[in-house]
Amino acid sequence: NAGVTQTPKFQVLKTGQSMTLQCAQDMNHEYMSWYRQDPGMGLRLIHYSVGAGITDQGEVPNGYNVSRSTTEDFPLRLLSAAPSQTSVYFCASSYSAGYSYGYTFGSGTRLTVV
Amino acid sequence: DQQVKQNSPSLSVQEGRISILNCDYTNSMFDYFLWYKKYPAEGPTFLISISSIKDKNEDGRFTVFLNKSAKHLSLHIVPSQPGDSAVYFCAASGPTGANNLFFGTGTRLTVIP
């Protein structure tokens, strides 16, 4: 049971480039989300999904796109990378019913935009 | 505006002693609170949670206390062990229909052998 898998683990982009951060879970979780972690800011929600075909914006959605075509996958797309998007990105998933289990997080993608 | 606050960025405790990590929140609609633990280069891992209908939840060495009137919760670790050294995040959620969590900025706990 792999849990939540994020790829790549590290990435360096030039300003203006686009890329997709991959997230896959094998726990049949309905809820998936993307967070970014910046120094002194904690984790902030970018986008989330409550099921296949359903996505919504979180606290800091600008510059990012998501889609949820399957239960397992929830990719995060950076449309035109900016230095302000340098961060560590975490994908998380959970059961849809209740919060008792908390989230299961991936190990993160460290992104640097130069 | 940060809805969940952890005002102590770091805490050092001797092995065997009690560690107390604090968290404050501003949104009275939050009804579920969680603590996550994070080691370097890893994702956060779920530690313990508490519903707003309770004021205490215990799991082994970890106890979370909730004071709704003060909008304050705390995590007690007794006894503290060197393996507990990590960053601890407090998180909260409300009855919004989704499972979105709001996280604090984290407290780095160092347990000194």
Side-chain angles (χ1 to χ4, degrees):
Chain A
N1 191 342
V4 177
T5 302
Q6 288 185 238
T7 56
K9 292 191 182 301
F10 302 94
Q11 183 71 49
V12 178
L13 286 180
K14 293 183 179 180
T15 297
Q17 286 185 316
S18 63
M19 79 158 294
T20 299
L21 279 63
Q22 302 291 344
C23 176
Q25 52 91 9
D26 60 359
M27 298 171 285
N28 202 32
H29 284 173
E30 291 191 8
Y31 177 89
M32 296 185 74
S33 57
W34 278 100
Y35 283 83
R36 58 178 288 173
Q37 183 191 11
D38 302 297
M41 300 292 289
L43 284 84
R44 293 182 293 168
L45 181 65
I46 304 171
H47 285 284
Y48 66 97
S49 169
V50 297
I54 306 169
T55 64
D56 206 344
Q57 297 181 350
E59 183 183 359
V60 288
N62 292 341
Y64 307 95
N65 259 2
V66 292
S67 59
R68 184 95 178 270
S69 56
T70 67
T71 299
E72 295 78 20
D73 299 298
F74 191 44
L76 178 72
R77 282 181 285 276
L78 279 70
L79 309 173
S80 177
S84 61
Q85 294 178 304
T86 294
S87 187
V88 181
Y89 292 84
F90 290 101
C91 178
S93 71
S94 76
Y95 291 105
S96 63
Y99 311 108
S100 298
Y101 299 100
Y103 285 6
T104 299
F105 279 89
S107 58
T109 296
R110 184 175 294 274
L111 175 68
T112 302
V113 182
V114 297
Chain B
D1 189 29
Q2 195 82 17
Q3 297 189 61
V4 179
K5 300 178 183 179
Q6 295 175 257
N7 293 320
S8 299
S10 63
L11 175 68
S12 291
V13 171
Q14 291 285 339
E15 180 179 3
R17 298 289 185 99
I18 184 172
S19 296
I20 300 176
L21 293 88
N22 294 303
C23 177
D24 297 294
Y25 61 96
T26 58
N27 189 340
S28 59
M29 297 299 290
F30 287 148
D31 62 359
Y32 206 83
F33 305 89
L34 306 91
W35 285 93
Y36 283 83
K37 177 179 180 180
K38 185 182 180 306
Y39 293 116
E42 295 182 10
T45 55
F46 171 70
L47 189 58
I48 192 170
S49 63
I50 188 168
S51 164
S52 60
I53 64 173
K54 294 184 175 182
D55 55 16
K56 176 183 174 181
N57 189 28
E58 196 170 352
D59 184 3
R61 297 186 296 114
F62 303 91
T63 303
V64 56
F65 295 92
L66 175 63
N67 182 334
K68 283 179 291 184
S69 61
K71 295 191 180 66
H72 177 83
L73 65 155
S74 60
L75 174 69
H76 293 209
I77 307 174
V78 183
S80 300
Q81 300 173 354
D84 296 329
S85 297
V87 177
Y88 289 79
F89 290 98
C90 171
S93 68
T96 62
N99 282 12
N100 297 337
L101 291 181
F102 295 86
F103 284 84
T105 52
T107 297
R108 181 178 302 278
L109 173 66
T110 302
V111 180
I112 303 165

